[in-house]
Amino acid sequence: MDNGNISLERLILKLHDVHAVKFGTFKLKSGITSPIYFDLRVIVSYPSLMNEVSSLLFQRAKEAGLKFNNVCGVPYTALPLATIICAQNDLPMLIRRKEAKDYGTGRMIEGTIHPGETCLIVEDVVTSGSSVFETAQVLQKEGLKVTDAIVLMDREQGGGERLAKDGITLHSVISISKLLDVLLEAGRIDAEVAQSVRRFIQENSTFKPTKENGSPAAKKPCTSLSYEARAQLPGIHPMASRLLKLMEEKKSNLCVSADVTDSEELLEVAETLGPLICVLKTHVDILRNFTPDTTRRLSELADKHHFLIFEDRKFADIGNTVKHQYEGGIYQIASWSHIINAHAVPGSGVVKGLEAVGKPLDRGCLLIAEMSSQGSLATGPYTQAVVKMADEHSDFVFGFICGSKISGKPEFIHMTPGVNMQSEGDSLGQQYTSPEEVICTKGSDVIIVGRGILAAADRVKAAEAYKKAGWEAYLKRLSLTT
């Protein structure tokens, strides 16, 4: 088999096909309830899949430049994998028993042992790393060196860090992050399931580093990039970069939803809350006294207080129609709104029509992938289709309106509506989520707050509270341990 031609994505889909990876509610050995479960023992019934997995494991070892004299699989699932690797590559193999027999030699390691040689450990799944570590201890007692282990699936719950602390480097073929990305892209799972698993992994690390004095070590930065770092990514959309820089500069990830019906009130909101926000979301079609002067003055306030204007128009028609809606009519949205949004229902034509107008003006578009209203149909496969559409039109689309992080690409902005620190919802189906849950737990970037601020007795004080809560949640996200 030509290892260079093996598709990792294809392997992940095959593992899902044979139910080696399952989603649902599963009680783990530790007693914890997990939304994902790996049962790689089933692959022994699929010879071609066994060969493919074994080839990828050995390929991973070669890519890492590992030097070793023999191979040992962690019992039991990794034993057939180690057997195939050794048989196909003419390598000596050792077998570790889980318990010593009270007859025969009573040995814990079977095979020819040469003390001082280096043994490579093979494992199927690593969570805490304890099984690899136990195997390493048994091998070391026989005088063997253990410096590396290769694993098919790293659950990213601290096993690699724990093993590194004990002098063993873990080399994985598949990470749980990669697996979720592939299954989400293929439509095998929806964004809600993926986010549930990511949240579980993040909240259930098995490794807690300690200082030399035994006290807990300072938390490590997570793999999440800062707004500032993301703004510098090559190929990032100019509007995304501009927004991220503005957020970092103002230390605000707050977007106020100015759903008011009077033009003067809209301008008052922009004037008083402008210094506290990164984006002002408008609905000009509900203003009963709109004039072109309204948006002229609004643009001046945006320049004065350094915020972006987001007209929540929710374009949802064929390309030619939205093109005229965007650039013409009484509102002439393209002339003053930095950001617009659109439904993906009409297909890619809606983006192409908007892009024809907005791209020359350096505007940007958000696709509506999820909504905060109860009973919304924007879920599952639809959300996945939206993410795919954004990938295909990233020269104009720079992010999403969504309930949680739905794309692993840091170039995309995630903005979440329905944020309120007090209320549980309203009688019309609106559902609310707290700033910390949106930013820290669900991985979004911007909180969109409407009535939580506009209905407050003191709007400025309320906006200050939301700005503080949103930014603290962002800092907490950055400080979480991996």
Side-chain angles (χ1 to χ4, degrees):
M1 180 180 293
D2 183 1
N3 291 342
N5 294 327
I6 295 175
S7 167
L8 196 58
E9 289 77 11
R10 185 185 67 192
L11 174 63
I12 290 172
L13 295 179
K14 284 183 179 179
L15 292 172
H16 187 254
D17 287 337
V18 302
H19 306 294
V21 53
K22 304 174 183 178
F23 297 89
T25 303
F26 307 95
K27 188 173 182 179
L28 302 181
K29 182 180 179 181
S30 63
I32 296 174
T33 299
S34 169
I36 188 170
Y37 183 69
F38 296 100
D39 184 11
L40 293 175
R41 289 166 294 191
V42 302
I43 67 175
V44 299
S45 297
Y46 302 90
S48 63
L49 184 56
M50 281 279 288
N51 284 328
E52 192 168 343
V53 168
S54 301
S55 294
L56 277 170
L57 284 166
F58 187 64
Q59 178 181 317
R60 184 71 185 89
K62 289 198 298 182
E63 288 173 350
L66 304 185
K67 304 296 182 182
F68 51 92
N69 305 104
N70 40 49
V71 176
C72 180
V74 176
Y76 289 104
T77 309
L79 288 178
L81 298 175
T83 301
I84 294 173
I85 289 172
C86 291
Q88 289 185 342
N89 298 281
D90 195 25
L91 295 168
M93 178 177 167
L94 300 175
I95 297 177
R96 175 207 159 193
R97 291 185 179 274
K98 274 203 168 184
E99 61 283 318
K101 299 295 183 182
D102 57 3
Y103 54 85
T105 63
R107 297 174 62 182
M108 288 294 292
I109 298 292
E110 301 293 348
T112 302
I113 298 172
H114 299 286
E117 289 188 340
T118 299
C119 184
L120 174 67
I121 292 178
V122 177
E123 177 63 302
D124 61 333
V125 180
V126 164
T127 302
S128 67
S130 59
S131 295
V132 171
F133 180 66
E134 290 167 5
T135 299
Q137 285 185 310
V138 175
L139 292 167
Q140 289 164 346
K141 284 181 182 179
E142 299 289 339
L144 296 168
K145 298 176 184 178
V146 178
T147 58
D148 298 273
I150 51 174
V151 61
L152 176 62
M153 176 64 62
D154 180 6
R155 287 184 60 114
E156 298 179 296
Q157 288 181 256
E161 291 88 341
R162 185 253 175 98
L163 291 171
K165 181 175 178 290
D166 295 310
I168 301 171
T169 301
L170 185 68
H171 308 270
S172 63
V173 173
I174 306 170
S175 67
I176 199 166
S177 298
K178 176 67 174 178
L179 178 131
L180 292 173
D181 287 343
V182 171
L183 294 180
L184 185 61
E185 178 71 19
R188 300 293 185 91
I189 59 174
D190 59 30
E192 184 177 353
V193 169
Q195 185 59 31
S196 171
V197 175
R198 289 191 177 102
R199 183 162 58 246
F200 172 82
I201 297 301
Q202 187 180 61
E203 294 174 354
N204 290 277
S205 175
T206 63
F207 178 71
K208 301 190 182 302
T210 56
K211 295 179 180 178
E212 291 183 2
N213 61 10
S215 62
K219 290 182 177 180
K220 298 178 181 179
C222 64
T223 54
S224 177
L225 294 173
S226 68
Y227 295 148
E228 185 176 17
R230 288 166 62 190
Q232 307 300 326
L233 290 172
I236 190 170
H237 191 284
M239 186 58 66
S241 179
R242 181 177 176 183
L243 175 56
L244 290 165
K245 289 176 181 177
L246 189 152
M247 290 158 65
E248 195 74 53
E249 173 193 327
K250 298 183 74 171
K251 291 183 170 34
S252 174
N253 49 18
L254 172 61
C255 167
V256 166
S257 181
D259 297 339
V260 297
T261 58
D262 181 78
S263 293
E264 289 304 318
E265 184 178 3
L266 172 63
L267 296 170
E268 180 185 358
V269 168
E271 177 67 77
T272 56
L273 305 186
L276 303 171
I277 64 176
C278 60
V279 177
L280 181 71
K281 185 171 77 70
T282 61
H283 275 296
V284 292
D285 55 357
I286 68 172
L287 294 174
R288 60 176 178 265
N289 52 352
F290 172 84
T291 68
D293 189 57
T294 302
T295 50
R296 180 190 62 78
R297 293 165 63 190
L298 183 62
S299 296
E300 290 175 353
L301 290 172
D303 290 338
K304 175 183 177 182
H305 296 302
H306 306 291
F307 63 81
L308 300 179
I309 304 171
F310 166 24
E311 169 54 23
D312 190 6
R313 178 62 178 77
K314 297 184 177 72
F315 292 98
D317 214 317
I318 62 172
N320 188 59
T321 299
V322 298
K323 179 177 180 291
H324 291 300
Q325 290 173 330
Y326 189 18
E327 68 180 346
I330 62 172
Y331 300 119
Q332 298 183 4
I333 296 170
S335 68
W336 52 270
S337 182
H338 304 99
I339 302 167
I340 54 167
N341 59 357
H343 285 292
V345 174
S348 60
V350 67
V351 176
K352 293 176 181 178
L354 295 170
E355 181 179 356
V357 176
K359 188 175 179 182
L361 299 174
D362 296 324
R363 306 306 193 194
C365 179
L366 301 168
L367 290 183
I368 301 166
E370 297 171 323
M371 298 184 70
S372 57
S373 54
Q374 188 176 12
S376 168
L377 301 180
T379 60
Y382 177 82
T383 298
Q384 295 160 23
V386 173
V387 173
K388 183 178 180 181
M389 185 181 291
D391 286 334
E392 294 170 350
H393 298 278
S394 58
D395 53 346
F396 185 58
V397 176
F398 73 96
F400 310 95
I401 298 295
C402 51
S404 62
K405 184 178 180 181
I406 58 174
S407 170
K409 294 185 177 181
E411 293 88 350
F412 282 131
I413 303 291
H414 295 75
M415 297 179 64
T416 298
V419 178
N420 194 305
M421 292 191 286
Q422 304 296 329
S423 179
E424 296 181 354
D426 66 14
S427 61
L428 297 178
Q430 176 64 289
Q431 300 176 110
Y432 290 119
T433 314
S434 70
E436 180 170 344
E437 184 175 356
V438 167
I439 300 295
C440 190
T441 304
K442 295 188 174 182
S444 193
D445 298 309
V446 178
I447 56 173
I448 302 177
V449 184
R451 279 169 278 184
I453 293 174
L454 297 187
D458 187 333
R459 289 176 172 177
V460 172
K461 185 176 180 180
E464 288 173 341
Y466 277 96
K467 174 179 181 287
K468 182 174 184 290
W471 194 255
E472 288 181 348
Y474 161 66
L475 295 178
K476 181 179 180 181
R477 185 174 83 190
L478 288 182
S479 68
L480 286 174
T481 55
T482 51

